[in-house]
Amino acid sequence: MRTSLILLSARLLDPATGAFLPHTALAAADGRITALGDDREIRALADASTTVIDVKGGVVTPGLVDGHIHPVTGADLTHGLDLSSCTDLQQVRAVLAGAVRDLSPGAWLHGWGLDPNVFGDRPVETAPFDAVLDGVPAFLLLFDAHSALASRRALELAGVDGPRSFAQATAEVVCDAGGRPTGLLLEDAACELVERVAPQPTRQERRDRLAAALRAMAAAGLTGGHVMDANGDSLALFSELDAAGRLPLRLRVAPWCQPGTDADGVRALVEQQGAGGRLWRTDGVKIFMDGTIDNGTAWLEHPDCHGESRHAFWPDPEEYTRIVGELHRAGVPTATHAIGDAAVRHVLDAVEKAQADGGRGVRHRVEHIETVPDDTLRRFAELGVVASMQPTHCCDFTRADHTDNWSRRLGEPRASRAWRCRDLHDSGAVVVLGSDWPIAPYPPLGVMAGARHRRPTRDLTQAPHGPEQALTALEALRGMTVNAAYAAGEEHDAGRIAIGHRADLTVLAVDPLTTPATELHDVPVLLTVLDGDPTHRHASV
């Protein structure tokens, strides 16, 4: 077996213990770590074909993995106008006006990342932008990617002139008292009414955008991601990039199971498991239990301040329970989007029932978990359900004083139970961290930093939201290494620097465990290694 990669002058960090290994070098072959030792003995394993890199004291961690990401969707959505930096309606109007001036006649305007907090106490609708978007077909995705604003011209082209009915219980074309659309579209089914009439990029353009996004992720230190969708031609795109040697991340993909999925649909999901290529595979199923708090489509035990967020995504939640049971018996892990307390409780109930009927051999997980009461916490560990969380959502979309849209909708005390990372960890749950890109930025150092400081990324001088829920530096690192591997059933192959484990590695300029949380985001990534091959290399090494 020929050694393909050697790293020298390294500090090898074990996230399981938080300590450095006694070795200063490692060797890899056939995508696995084959030797650990000092520089002299590991260098002796090299031949003329071996890539030897002196990382000059850099800190090597197991490859960082994003526990919840949407690469294809993100590459598609973030190609348009970035509205995420706008903090009020005036800024949004100014940015839209600038984009409109550059549009060709009849061209569509696509925007993304719009924060509902820009509307303050006003309804979320297109009326504030009517003058700017007069005659312009525009589709503006809100930051949660579960809702969008469509201009009057876009609605006209899509033939949307009133309310509609959907299989997704929380999907809605929001209308005023006279039955006229306000421009707000809730959930995918409603958004697709407009999206499908807009011009679409070519397949080559989409593939190139995806490849560029994945390269940027690798440069940020990511070696893998748990992909929470397989919509459209996503799997084909992954396969094509993989075959061409252009896939710089190891991807674990969970296709969706939507309301209305019949027995044949469930069977197809089961049969799809394990399909993939060298660096990607289908593993698990993604299901939605609710929408989002910000747009009033979450499932809460008590309605929000507008009387909304009262219903599950599934018209009949018991149908969800039945499907989880079927997948469980087939050995298929599920990842359920559950943001509101009622949604999280129902998912846990469904898993408990599935385990009672079919044993505990399958690792299920809940995604997001934005607000839950005390009696829910312990059930994650009791049932072995992984808590998959995105702390930067709390950092960037809520405020410590609870004046943001999310907190105002919930009211006290629910807003004080925001993203309970610490409480879930202390109750024994396995906490996995991710970004949910394109909802929030994907750089993993920023995700780990947010889990520690819980402050707005744009202004770290502001007060943290729920500092008592912060994780330690080691816990945050585990959330993107050891725990991510466990959630994927890969703890014997990944998440550690050990002989026989995958040679998926991230090399940082300094120790992430001693770097202050507010400085971690800016730490240079010296090297990213996937399957024994560098996918990113800093000029200094």
Side-chain angles (χ1 to χ4, degrees), residues 67-89:
H68 187 122
I69 200 164
H70 304 271
V72 176
T73 303
D76 287 340
L77 297 181
T78 58
H79 185 68
L81 184 65
D82 184 358
L83 299 170
S84 62
S85 62
C86 297
T87 58
D88 57 39
L89 290 175

Side-chain angles (χ1 to χ4, degrees), residues 99-435:
V100 167
R101 283 194 295 270
D102 296 332
L103 281 181
S104 301
W108 280 67
L109 174 61
H110 292 268
W112 62 279
L114 181 60
D115 188 340
N117 284 302
V118 303
F119 292 87
D121 295 327
R122 297 183 54 166
V124 179
E125 58 186 7
T126 55
F129 315 130
D130 281 348
V132 176
L133 298 176
D134 185 28
V136 176
F139 184 83
L140 311 177
L141 195 71
L142 273 73
F143 83 86
D144 61 9
H146 281 254
S147 51
L149 289 173
S151 68
R152 296 189 185 280
R153 178 57 177 159
L155 292 172
E156 179 184 350
L157 291 173
V160 178
D161 56 7
R164 299 285 182 91
S165 297
F166 303 97
Q168 297 173 358
T170 53
E172 181 183 359
V173 175
V174 177
C175 297
D176 61 21
R180 295 178 295 273
T182 66
L184 179 60
L185 306 170
L186 303 180
E187 300 298 345
D188 288 334
C191 292
E192 286 171 2
L193 296 175
V194 174
E195 288 180 294
R196 67 191 179 201
V197 302
Q200 301 299 317
T202 67
R203 184 182 180 83
Q204 183 65 48
E205 287 172 336
R206 296 183 61 241
R207 184 166 57 243
D208 289 346
R209 290 176 192 171
L210 173 61
L214 293 172
R215 287 195 303 271
M217 291 176 190
L222 283 175
T223 64
H226 297 173
V227 178
M228 292 298 165
D229 59 57
N231 300 326
D233 57 358
S234 294
L235 299 185
L237 290 172
F238 294 147
S239 183
E240 291 169 16
L241 292 179
D242 194 19
R246 299 176 65 196
L247 194 59
L249 264 68
R250 190 183 303 276
L251 302 177
R252 176 181 185 265
V253 186
W256 285 1
C257 178
Q258 295 273 35
T261 302
D262 59 14
D264 289 341
V266 174
R267 190 177 306 112
L269 287 167
V270 173
E271 293 173 352
Q272 190 178 2
Q273 300 300 303
R278 187 174 75 90
L279 291 170
W280 71 276
R281 78 176 192 277
T282 304
D283 187 5
V285 170
K286 167 74 178 298
I287 316 179
F288 290 86
M289 198 67 248
D290 65 351
T292 69
I293 287 167
D294 278 289
N295 70 20
T297 58
W299 188 17
L300 299 171
E301 294 181 338
H302 303 286
D304 66 18
C305 68
H306 299 297
E308 297 177 337
S309 286
R310 297 174 297 166
H311 305 291
F313 188 74
W314 290 65
D316 179 6
E318 291 310 311
E319 182 66 8
Y320 162 87
T321 300
R322 185 187 65 76
I323 288 179
V324 167
E326 286 189 34
L327 293 170
H328 180 87
R329 287 189 293 274
V332 178
T334 60
T336 302
H337 168 121
I339 281 179
D341 44 18
V344 175
R345 190 183 301 278
H346 189 89
V347 175
L348 296 173
D349 289 346
V351 171
E352 185 170 27
K353 186 177 188 306
Q355 292 178 348
D357 296 338
R360 292 185 57 127
V362 184
R363 291 176 188 171
H364 300 283
R365 47 194 281 174
V366 181
E367 310 298 315
H368 308 309
I369 319 168
E370 293 186 4
T371 179
V372 288
D374 292 343
D375 66 345
T376 303
L377 298 170
R378 58 177 175 76
R379 298 186 67 197
F380 281 83
E382 290 174 354
L383 297 171
V385 174
V386 172
S388 173
M389 307 187 75
Q390 299 76 47
T392 45
H393 294 196
C394 181
C395 296
D396 293 341
F397 304 129
T398 70
R399 301 171 187 150
D401 62 4
H402 296 172
T403 58
D404 58 280
N405 181 60
W406 185 93
S407 300
R408 285 187 290 112
R409 275 184 173 269
L410 284 178
E412 301 293 346
R414 290 182 297 191
S416 296
R417 300 198 297 253
W419 286 267
R420 301 180 71 174
C421 298
R422 161 60 50 206
D423 290 342
L424 280 161
H425 174 275
D426 289 351
S427 69
V430 173
V431 177
V432 172
L433 301 181
S435 66

Side-chain angles (χ1 to χ4, degrees), residues 496-518:
R496 302 284 302 275
I497 297 177
I499 293 176
H501 275 49
R502 290 176 183 152
D504 294 353
L505 306 163
T506 304
V507 185
L508 306 175
V510 297
D511 183 356
L513 303 187
T514 58
T515 301
T518 53

